[in-house]
Amino acid sequence: MKVLEVKQLTKTFGKVQALDGVDLAVNKGEVYGFIGPNGAGKSTTIRILLGLLKPTSGFARLFGKDAWEDAVAIHKRIAYVPGDVNLWPNLTGGEVIDLFLKMRGVRVDQSRKARLMEQFDFDPTKKCRTYSKGNRQKVALIAAFAADADLYILDEPTSGLDPLMERVFQQCVYEAKKKGSSVLLSSHILSEVERLCDRVAIIRQGEIIESGSLASLRHLTRIQLTIATKEVVPDLDSQPGVHDFKIENQHYVFQVDADQLDEMVRYVSQYGVVNLESAPPTLEDLFMRHYQGSTSGGGGQ
Amino acid sequence: MANQPNYQTGLIFRFLFKREVVKLLVWIVPIVAMTVTIALAFNGLYETQEERQALAETMENPAMKALVGQGYGLDNYTDGAMLAHQMLLMTAVVVAIMSMLLIVRLTRADEEDGQLEMLRALPMGRLAQTNAALFVLVITNIVLMLITAISLTALGMDSIDWAGSLLYGSVLGTTGLFFGAITLLAAQLSDNTRGTMMLGYLVLGLSYMIRSIGDSGNELLSWFSPLGILLGSEVYVNNYWWPILVIVLLAIIIIALALYLQQIRDVGAGLLPQRSGRKAASPMLQSQIGLALRLLRTSLIAWIIGMMLIGISYGSVLGDLEAFLGESEAIMEIIGASGDMSITEQFISVLLKIMAIFSTIPALVVFVRLKSEEKKGRLEHLLAKPVSRKKILGTYLGLSFLTSIVMMLAGIIALAGIGVTVMDVDISFNTLVEAQLVYLPAVWILIGFAAALYGWCYKWSRFIWLYLLFSFLTVYLGDLLDLPAFILGLSPYYHIPELPTDQLSWVVMVVATGMALLLSFLGFLGFQRRDIET
């Protein structure tokens, strides 16, 4: 069942095309990663999902309802954490958390709220003006996770948190998932996305350029190989799918396209392999490949 | 070379000065322009000694003394004496606010924003920024003093001579220096910008109040207020310089104390203990209205007090009008006097129009808050919750309408309450209140206009202040400049019948209220369909 569905979404600000036909779908109980460089359109997409911006064309539906028309009904079932949390300087953190929870109109589990404050090591008695970026983010995170939601929309929620707090956050996401909630997580921290997400979408210049499960995306990428053989392998650098070839300490070091791996191993094994190390592609490799594509090869488009 | 607290002061000074120079000119030029304009206006309005003496008599009541200070030189009320007596205190308060904002910007605000931290990490003395801020303060006030003195002397009026004008400028500059010093001290005590400003305003407010009470009754008390001491210079009459010396000395002592405290405290910290706030929200806060009221609480309270003070001061002069105004042709022209009504009644109708415009300001302040909430990115927190746009706009719009009623009542009750006890003319309390409240539909049109602007052209929301200013000018100068009716008619206040002179017209009331509602409705329509800004 789809909790969130976005089809051919476009948004223009004056002459600037911010989104150009974005498609997204998040299923129930799924943690969905949304990654892309700065200015790619992540926050614009999220603000359309929240009914803050009106799409130029295409549609965005949450729980089968239109994000713009039925904003209020949708918002009863979601919790949102922005990346840049702006708060009222003369209210305390505790006051803001209560205010947010009250406005969500959900039943608040006081012990859960207290537990979250303790886990996040958060002092609710200070005025918001005295909070650091990380502490302001904690306000939004505690208000989001202190009550259940069917969908959590998190826009770079951990950009100001320390690694210890990041772990608390990941725990919150696990627990939400266990209860059957869905999560849309936009993030720059790729290790976090890798650890938490079932599926990801990569957005660049307002277009989704890749989406699917992490396993399926890995097929599209390259694997790092380090190989030593008894005999010299002829023409290794000109075999199909081989990239960045070099020889270090009598080892062949290169990358190979995932779909050419089988061919490559067959070819090399004829020459007596004595050592073979392979490193799986990280999301970062994947991301970097697309990202670099936009700076070097993007000029022709 | 172990510790060089002043290292790099010069460099920082040049940096701060470049940053501030335009802002300071935006303050200094209008202050001087206002002073000069008023001096010229007095000269034009009161041409003969008799007219001036008639004015001097109206200065003899306690309310006027509380407002502008002890009268002096009243037996020979020259243009100079009139200017210094009626304008010096008000202008000094403005200069004080300018200096307070300057110091807080350059010290505590930079510290709170973390800019000072970055500078202090460079090879820079511990006091360099504070010293540099003080230099900017001193230079600003000296420049203000000299420009004021030169401009006033240049008018070439008999009673406004160089000696007096230099002292006039010095009183202004010294006030700026003193309250700048106070703010610097406050910046050491409080650890945030808001707290620093509050402490500064508290001292300024107390100085004004102590002087008010002293001047209207117990004269000894006035000497405990720096403003009271400075007014003791009796500019253009006796030209005493000793008050300047006393206040400059006091300022130096305060600055020395502030610099000492700055040296011994941590960056980012204040010396007053931090109060811890509420752990949870009170039930009051947990609603749309509760939040809006909480955000606007301080300014609403300040405005209610302000409206009452304006009401009291206007009310207290109503008694002397008949005797005095009849002799001033200029004022007769401003109020467009005609034969069959008493002067007081005609004056009241202009006064009520101005009071109505004053009470529009807080109502618009309430509504415009919504725009700044949106701009500061806080509105999206609420809109991301099940809170509709209709409800948010409705909350601020409703509060704004309510504010207009409360403010108008606060002003008119104070005015009428005092007025009926001092007036010779027979006008009842109820008549006055009624004559004021008929202006509500005009105020509502401005609120509705603000809502329509907010809904459709967010970026032009500020235009509403221009419209208000325009309306004010048509009331204030309309008759004097003989403006044609169609220009006057652009102001909604123009169409409201002036009670008790005119008849109450229900048609106008209903049409105006209808227009306000229509504009508000347009606001809703626009806001429902536009993007939320960040």
Side-chain angles (χ1 to χ4, degrees):
Chain A
M1 198 186 84
K2 288 197 176 71
V3 171
L4 184 160
E5 197 181 6
V6 170
K7 274 256 158 66
Q8 282 303 305
L9 195 65
T10 63
K11 176 71 186 173
T12 47
F13 295 110
K15 281 180 186 157
V16 182
Q17 178 96 23
L19 297 182
D20 189 6
V22 169
D23 295 314
L24 274 182
V26 178
N27 298 316
K28 184 167 163 35
E30 183 177 56
V31 180
Y32 198 94
F34 192 32
I35 58 181
N38 290 326
K42 297 191 297 291
S43 291
T44 305
T45 309
I46 286 179
R47 290 164 65 76
I48 289 177
L49 292 175
L50 291 169
L52 296 173
L53 303 181
K54 195 173 187 173
T56 308
S57 69
F59 70 78
R61 283 200 196 121
L62 292 92
F63 315 113
K65 297 187 177 101
D66 185 81
W68 176 265
E69 296 294 333
D70 300 316
V72 173
I74 291 169
H75 295 177
K76 285 186 179 144
R77 301 174 62 183
I78 67 166
Y80 165 59
V81 177
D84 227 341
V85 184
N86 299 300
L87 299 172
W88 298 273
N90 50 343
L91 299 188
T92 66
E95 284 178 314
V96 173
I97 290 172
D98 282 354
L99 180 72
F100 282 179
L101 284 167
K102 182 78 187 176
M103 286 189 176
R104 277 177 63 189
V106 282
R107 214 182 54 77
V108 179
D109 183 346
Q110 290 299 331
S111 66
R112 186 158 142 200
K113 188 180 92 180
R115 203 189 66 220
L116 278 169
M117 284 189 188
E118 201 188 305
Q119 284 174 340
F120 275 115
D121 193 17
F122 177 76
D123 178 359
T125 62
K126 292 233 170 67
K127 300 272 181 185
C128 289
R129 79 164 71 80
T130 65
Y131 287 138
S132 63
K133 176 174 167 56
N135 274 323
R136 290 202 304 273
Q137 244 161 354
K138 288 180 193 174
V139 170
L141 284 168
I142 293 169
F145 286 108
D148 291 332
D150 292 327
L151 172 65
Y152 293 86
I153 297 181
L154 312 172
D155 190 359
E156 294 179 27
T158 56
S159 49
L161 296 187
D162 64 52
L164 221 61
M165 293 303 129
E166 220 180 294
R167 190 160 295 178
V168 177
F169 162 74
Q170 290 173 4
Q171 195 56 42
C172 289
V173 174
Y174 279 132
E175 278 169 27
K177 189 185 169 186
K178 219 160 48 190
K179 286 181 187 163
S181 303
S182 315
V183 178
L184 177 68
L185 172 65
S186 139
S187 179
H188 268 138
I189 303 168
L190 299 169
S191 61
E192 178 181 282
V193 174
E194 222 163 7
R195 201 167 311 151
L196 290 173
C197 297
D198 305 305
R199 291 198 298 147
V200 294
I202 302 177
I203 186 171
R204 196 187 75 202
Q205 294 172 354
E207 284 177 82
I208 302 285
I209 46 170
E210 209 75 80
S211 68
S213 70
L214 274 173
S216 72
L217 288 186
R218 282 192 174 123
H219 278 293
L220 298 170
T221 190
R222 297 167 187 168
I223 296 162
Q224 180 82 29
L225 288 180
T226 308
I227 296 177
T229 49
K230 280 188 199 142
E231 298 165 41
V232 175
V233 185
D235 298 330
L236 182 52
D237 55 336
S238 55
Q239 291 301 307
V242 171
H243 304 274
D244 296 338
F245 180 85
K246 50 187 183 252
I247 298 176
E248 279 173 6
N249 304 328
Q250 291 145 13
H251 282 63
Y252 301 112
V253 180
F254 58 96
Q255 292 180 355
V256 60
D257 288 340
D259 51 357
Q260 301 284 347
L261 183 62
D262 188 41
E263 290 277 311
M264 168 58 55
V265 173
R266 275 174 215 275
Y267 177 69
V268 176
S269 61
Q270 302 166 40
Y271 304 94
V273 175
V274 288
N275 188 16
L276 188 150
E277 288 169 27
S278 89
T282 60
L283 192 54
E284 190 167 331
D285 295 329
L286 192 79
F287 184 76
M288 291 308 274
R289 212 178 111 201
H290 284 298
Y291 184 50
Q292 280 160 353
S294 77
T295 47
S296 58
Q301 291 185 353
Chain B
M1 295 281 279
N3 191 7
Q4 301 168 293
N6 304 319
Y7 187 66
Q8 294 284 34
T9 297
L11 190 74
I12 301 288
F13 166 72
R14 284 202 294 279
F15 168 63
L16 294 186
F17 187 76
K18 220 186 310 181
R19 219 176 81 182
E20 293 297 321
V21 67
V22 176
K23 272 185 219 143
L24 289 171
L25 284 178
V26 169
W27 276 94
I28 291 176
V29 171
I31 290 175
V32 176
M34 181 181 77
T35 305
V36 171
T37 315
I38 299 282
L40 283 171
F42 277 154
N43 190 254
L45 281 173
Y46 310 102
E47 282 170 352
T48 66
Q49 189 63 29
E50 286 76 55
E51 281 177 352
R52 287 197 285 267
Q53 287 315 127
L55 184 68
E57 272 161 43
T58 67
M59 296 293 143
E60 283 292 8
N61 72 66
M64 278 317 280
K65 285 181 183 166
L67 207 60
V68 301
Q70 270 308 333
Y72 54 88
L74 288 177
D75 44 343
N76 180 19
Y77 209 44
T78 59
D79 286 335
M82 205 157 35
L83 178 71
H85 178 209
Q86 294 188 37
M87 288 308 298
L88 185 52
L89 178 62
M90 291 296 168
T91 318
V93 169
V94 175
V95 174
I97 292 172
M98 171 191 82
S99 300
M100 286 162 61
L101 288 171
L102 169 75
I103 286 293
V104 90
R105 264 201 314 270
L106 296 187
T107 60
R108 182 48 79 179
D110 270 12
E111 196 167 336
E112 192 178 58
D113 295 345
Q115 289 162 10
L116 183 67
E117 193 174 309
M118 291 203 289
L119 287 178
R120 282 276 292 270
L122 301 169
M124 171 185 146
R126 188 159 292 164
L127 291 179
Q129 169 116 359
T130 314
N131 286 338
L134 280 169
F135 282 142
V136 177
L137 174 77
V138 170
I139 288 178
T140 304
N141 281 294
I142 288 181
V143 167
L144 175 74
M145 169 187 111
L146 290 176
I147 297 184
T148 307
I150 292 168
S151 313
L152 282 175
T153 314
L155 294 178
M157 293 185 215
D158 287 343
S159 54
I160 298 185
D161 54 357
W162 168 249
S165 299
L166 188 64
L167 184 57
Y168 190 100
S170 302
V171 170
L172 295 182
T174 309
T175 313
L177 178 71
F178 181 82
F179 284 97
I182 289 284
T183 311
L184 188 67
L185 184 62
Q188 313 309 315
L189 301 180
S190 168
D191 70 349
N192 63 73
T193 308
R194 194 183 146 94
T196 305
M197 256 351 255
M198 289 291 219
L199 277 175
Y201 281 130
L202 186 73
V203 175
L204 181 63
L206 279 177
S207 305
Y208 189 88
M209 252 176 55
I210 291 173
R211 183 214 52 79
S212 272
I213 299 168
D215 283 351
S216 55
N218 182 355
E219 284 169 33
L220 187 67
L221 205 56
S222 293
W223 300 116
F224 287 94
S225 154
L227 292 173
I229 295 176
L230 282 169
L231 287 188
S233 52
E234 305 195 356
V235 181
Y236 292 123
V237 178
N238 291 317
N239 287 347
Y240 298 127
W241 276 88
W242 64 264
I244 303 284
L245 268 168
V246 171
I247 297 298
V248 168
L249 248 152
L250 271 175
I252 290 173
I253 293 170
I254 293 168
I255 287 170
L257 179 62
L259 288 177
Y260 169 72
L261 294 175
Q262 164 95 68
Q263 276 236 356
I264 60 167
R265 73 175 173 84
D266 296 340
V267 172
L271 292 165
L272 288 180
Q274 260 253 310
R275 265 186 317 151
S276 71
R278 280 171 172 276
K279 202 171 173 167
S282 70
M284 265 296 288
L285 178 60
Q286 300 186 21
S287 66
Q288 258 310 300
I289 284 229
L291 173 64
L293 276 176
R294 171 70 182 273
L295 297 176
L296 292 159
R297 186 173 60 190
T298 318
S299 69
L300 282 178
I301 292 173
W303 269 101
I304 291 180
I305 295 172
M307 286 304 296
M308 291 177 76
L309 286 178
I310 294 172
I312 290 170
S313 51
Y314 278 151
S316 57
V317 299
L318 286 179
D320 301 311
L321 284 177
E322 207 75 15
F324 159 65
L325 282 184
E327 290 164 32
S328 165
E329 272 174 42
I331 289 188
M332 296 302 278
E333 209 157 298
I334 287 180
I335 64 178
S338 57
D340 49 345
M341 299 303 283
S342 79
I343 293 157
T344 308
E345 276 171 318
Q346 287 163 7
F347 185 73
I348 283 172
S349 62
V350 175
L351 206 58
L352 294 184
K353 209 171 262 187
I354 289 174
M355 293 278 290
I357 290 176
F358 282 161
S359 34
T360 313
I361 302 173
L364 290 177
V365 164
V366 168
F367 186 76
V368 165
R369 177 74 192 212
L370 178 56
K371 191 205 163 195
S372 78
E373 285 291 296
E374 179 174 348
K375 201 171 165 193
K376 288 179 180 150
R378 300 181 200 132
L379 195 60
E380 69 172 63
H381 290 303
L382 307 185
L383 286 173
K385 315 228 162 16
V387 177
S388 66
R389 293 184 179 204
K390 218 182 280 175
K391 184 163 182 194
I392 286 181
L393 184 55
T395 302
Y396 278 89
L397 205 52
L399 265 182
S400 180
F401 279 101
L402 197 68
T403 305
S404 68
I405 300 173
V406 170
M407 293 300 162
M408 213 175 244
L409 280 174
I412 190 61
I413 287 173
L415 184 143
I418 302 273
V420 290
T421 59
V422 298
M423 266 186 303
D424 318 327
V425 187
D426 191 28
I427 304 176
S428 77
F429 182 82
N430 287 347
T431 314
L432 279 172
V433 173
E434 196 188 27
Q436 177 74 87
L437 293 185
V438 290
Y439 282 100
L440 277 175
V443 179
W444 294 342
I445 286 183
L446 264 95
I447 298 174
F449 197 52
L453 278 174
Y454 178 69
W456 290 96
C457 9
Y458 172 86
K459 296 216 167 80
W460 289 87
S461 291
R462 279 191 189 158
F463 180 77
I464 192 67
W465 296 115
L466 269 181
Y467 187 37
L468 184 69
L469 181 70
F470 165 80
S471 299
F472 177 71
L473 290 179
T474 55
V475 174
Y476 210 70
L477 301 173
D479 284 327
L480 208 62
L481 298 179
D482 257 336
L483 289 176
F486 76 90
I487 290 185
L488 296 175
L490 291 176
S491 151
Y493 302 92
Y494 175 78
H495 302 279
I496 302 294
E498 295 176 0
L499 305 183
T501 324
D502 297 341
Q503 285 290 315
L504 176 64
S505 153
W506 284 105
V507 179
V508 174
M509 298 288 109
V510 171
V511 169
T513 308
M515 270 184 71
L517 290 177
L518 185 73
L519 284 165
S520 306
F521 175 71
L522 282 177
F524 277 104
L525 221 58
F527 187 54
Q528 301 263 40
R529 62 184 60 202
R530 76 167 167 82
D531 289 348
I532 298 297
E533 305 279 329
T534 30

